[in-house]
Structure formats: C-alpha cells, structure tokens
C-alpha cells in the first residue's frame, strides 16, 4: 500500500553519505559499515535513454555496496528486485510525469531506498483491480509487491514530487 508519509517508519529522512563502498562484504551481505548510509545521485538533465541509464547506475551502486556479484540465489534475487523497481519508477516518470529529474539510491545494512524525482502532478497508484493478463499498468503493482514500503513526497509550493520505495537488504 502506498503511503503519503515523507519517510518510512523509523527513517530519519534523506541523509548524505559517500557513494563508495568501504570494507569488504561480511558474510556475503552488503558492504556497508554498521550504522552508515551509503548514497548516490544521478541527474537526468539532458540525458536520453534514461531507463537503461538508471539501471546501469543502480547496478554500479549495487556492485560498490557489495550486493553484486551475489553469493546466493536470494542475494541475486534481491539485486534484481532493486533493478526492476528502479526501472519501473523511472519508466512511470517517463510515461506519466514529463520524465524523471533525478534518481537517488541509498542503503544501509537493512534497507535500500530508491527515489525518483519528477515534475509531474499525478499521484502514482497500482491499477485497481489489477489485471495480470492485460498489457501495461503493472508498474506500481510490481513496486508494491516487491517493496517493504513506498510513497510520494511533495514539497509545498514546488512543482513535482519524489516517488520512493524501500527494499530489504539481502540476508
């Protein structure tokens, strides 16, 4: 279910962190020092082919943070889920919101957060009822199914929004 909270429960909001990994993965998990949030940003200003660009950017972050290469099938599935959510959120911004402005991806040892900012006024929502056999309209349903939580942040007096989604780190 979508939420209009600016951040998920227990989240202190966006935090700056360095983009690189420090230290080696522990037990095959993410290479994020305890208590630290790693973060990266990608601006889409003047870019074309933004969906593959966003996936490549996310894949590089997952490599830097120790999610890839995956040591197990569960870890590989978690990384693929992140790439799919990135694709869906950026695609939705392209289709419904004049294109994305920025992709932000951050993680700590427990949660990876994806944020896509755009200038659109619409409110993303899974189509109801969801019709699995029909083409199109599955993006936010997929996000809802794969993520721990997702929502929309709007800044009063500013055009656009940020759609965010959070996924659990692999075990």
């Amino acid at each position: 279910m979508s939420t209009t909270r600016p951040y998920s429960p227990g989240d202190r909001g966006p935090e700056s962190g360095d983009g690189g990994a420090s230290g080696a993965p522990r037990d095959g998990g993410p290479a994020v020092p305890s208590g630290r949030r790693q973060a990266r940003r990608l601006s889409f200003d003047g870019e074309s082919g933004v969906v593959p660009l966003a996936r490549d950017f996310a894949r590089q972050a997952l490599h830097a943070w120790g999610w890839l290469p995956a040591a197990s099938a569960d870890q590989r599935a978690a990384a693929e889920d992140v790439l799919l959510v990135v694709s869906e959120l950026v695609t939705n911004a392209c289709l419904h919101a004049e294109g994305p402005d920025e992709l932000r991806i951050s993680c700590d040892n427990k949660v990876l957060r994806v944020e896509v900012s755009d200038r659109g006024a619409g409110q993303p929502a899974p189509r109801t009822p969801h019709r699995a056999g029909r083409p199109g309209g599955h993006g936010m349903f997929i996000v809802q199914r794969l993520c721990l939580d997702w929502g929309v942040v709007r800044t009063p007096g500013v055009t656009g929004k940020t759609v965010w989604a959070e996924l659990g780190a692999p075990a």
Side-chain angles (χ1 to χ4, degrees):
M1 172 181 276
S2 142
T3 178
T4 55
R5 290 189 311 265
Y7 306 104
S8 64
D11 191 354
R12 294 181 308 255
E15 299 175 16
S16 60
D18 68 21
S22 56
R26 294 174 299 278
D27 302 325
V32 179
S34 180
R36 285 199 50 207
R37 181 173 288 286
Q38 305 277 334
R40 291 186 175 201
R41 295 175 184 264
L42 172 66
S43 173
F44 294 109
D45 189 34
E47 297 288 346
S48 61
V50 295
V51 175
L53 180 66
R55 283 181 64 90
D56 289 344
F57 175 81
R59 187 176 289 109
Q60 290 171 9
L62 293 176
H63 273 279
W65 297 336
W67 287 51
L68 291 173
S72 70
D74 286 344
Q75 291 171 347
R76 192 170 24 264
E80 289 299 324
D81 288 351
V82 169
L83 297 175
L84 181 55
V85 168
V86 166
S87 295
E88 293 299 337
L89 294 181
V90 172
T91 297
N92 276 358
C94 290
L95 294 175
H96 306 294
E98 304 172 31
D101 290 331
E102 184 177 68
L103 166 65
R104 289 177 300 281
I105 184 169
S106 61
C107 77
D108 57 25
N109 284 328
K110 296 182 181 181
V111 174
L112 185 136
R113 184 176 176 109
V114 176
E115 300 178 31
V116 176
S117 298
D118 63 52
R119 285 170 255 148
Q123 180 74 14
R127 285 195 183 163
T128 305
H130 178 251
R131 295 206 165 99
R134 296 223 156 148
H138 305 290
M140 293 312 295
F141 178 78
I142 291 168
V143 170
Q144 179 176 293
R145 294 290 300 233
L146 293 178
C147 294
L148 300 170
D149 200 5
W150 71 276
V152 178
V153 176
R154 294 188 188 276
T155 303
V158 176
T159 303
K161 64 188 171 298
T162 297
V163 180
W164 60 266
E166 292 181 335
L167 298 97

